[in-house]
Amino acid sequence: MEVKHRIRCFESDVLVCDDGRGFTLSIQSKSNPLGFGRALGEFGALPMAIEAAEQFCIAYRIAKEHGYYLKENELIGPEREPIAVQWVLERRLSEPEWYELMAGKADMSAG
């Protein structure tokens, strides 16, 4: 696998890797940078994978500001329903929209 795109995001790096069949979006801890991290999603085209990585990093940063943390393939928040990482990767929201969603003001079941 070859890293095609890397975003520093808190104590982690969000990676887009080419595995020869497609592009894997993963998150890798800076404290344990072995391998290519934990896979979050698969994409058929590099631009789609990069856009999803950028969206995930924005959402993850805002989620952490609101008390969420990443567990397996979900963002877990205080007294809120978990948010599936796949759902986050499928969204194209602005930064203010992510803030509204993470603050619990938006309906996460929509769309």
Side-chain angles (χ1 to χ4, degrees):
M1 259 206 283
E2 180 183 351
V3 176
K4 294 291 190 177
H5 189 72
R6 178 185 309 260
I7 306 169
R8 297 194 187 258
C9 196
F10 287 103
E11 69 282 350
S12 302
D13 285 335
V14 176
L15 308 173
V16 174
C17 299
D18 182 351
D19 67 6
R21 297 180 311 267
F23 299 90
T24 302
L25 174 61
S26 60
I27 189 164
Q28 177 186 60
S29 171
K30 288 182 184 179
S31 64
N32 184 17
L34 300 176
F36 293 98
R38 181 172 30 140
L40 300 174
E42 301 287 331
F43 298 87
L46 181 59
M48 290 172 48
I50 290 173
E51 184 177 1
E54 300 284 344
Q55 280 288 308
F56 176 78
C57 196
I58 291 168
Y60 187 47
R61 175 178 50 82
I62 294 168
K64 286 189 70 89
E65 290 174 13
H66 285 86
Y68 286 82
Y69 61 93
L70 182 63
K71 180 178 180 185
E72 302 298 324
N73 288 318
E74 294 181 320
L75 293 171
I76 308 296
E79 300 180 23
R80 296 206 181 99
E81 290 293 316
I83 303 170
V85 169
Q86 187 61 43
W87 187 88
V88 171
L89 297 178
E90 293 169 355
R91 299 290 154 306
R92 298 299 174 259
L93 301 178
S94 67
E95 195 164 320
E97 289 171 323
W98 281 118
Y99 271 108
E100 184 177 339
L101 187 144
M102 296 301 171
K105 297 178 183 171
D107 180 6
M108 291 182 298
S109 63

